[in-house]
Amino acid sequence: MPLLTLFIFGLLASLGALLAELLVASFFIDANALNTPFVPTHFSLLLFALIEESLKIVFFLQASRRLITLPRPLTAGIVYGLGFASLEYFALSLMHNLPAGPIYGILVVHLVTSILLVKLLPKYQGKKALISLLGLLTALHFGYNILL
């Protein structure tokens, strides 16, 4: 049951991130060019990475509060990352005017950041520490986005 809960919270985090990203992207898209593909800028890629990693942290904290015991960190990170990546890839593959990237790239970036989140979160207590963890995860995600 804890694994299913983590997977569902990963899905919910991804859904929240996609909705927030669509809202933010609406500020970057020209209303006269709705049928043209969205070409992200470095700033928008950084903003999207920040949104995704912020919501990943928030939803993982909520999931961990609801679970009596968490599975081993590696297992928890993999399941949580799979939940996040699966919905993101599915949604991006349906939206033809947004770049989806290869499935293995989306899987790798979300598995790595989720595993790091689960392993490092107990060591990062306090607001400053959480902000630095968010910075680390965002930097990794942004690095992946730039390489796309």
Side-chain angles (χ1 to χ4, degrees), residues 4 11-12 18 20 29 51 63 70 72 76 81 85-86 91 100 108 112-113 121 127 141-142 144 146:
L4 181 61
L11 289 171
L12 292 172
L18 287 171
I29 296 175
I51 289 169
L70 279 173
R72 286 184 279 158
S86 61
V108 168
V112 167
T113 56
L121 190 62
K127 290 180 183 178
H141 196 141
F142 178 64
Y144 164 78
I146 291 296

Side-chain angles (χ1 to χ4, degrees), residues 104-143:
Y104 59 85
I106 291 174
L107 275 174
V108 168
V109 73
H110 289 298
L111 287 176
V112 167
T113 56
S114 295
I115 290 168
L116 283 174
L117 167 64
V118 173
K119 284 201 167 274
L120 295 177
L121 190 62
K123 298 174 185 168
Y124 283 77
Q125 299 299 321
K127 290 180 183 178
K128 288 182 182 178
L130 275 178
I131 290 172
S132 62
L133 177 61
L134 176 61
L136 170 69
L137 297 177
T138 301
L140 287 171
H141 196 141
F142 178 64

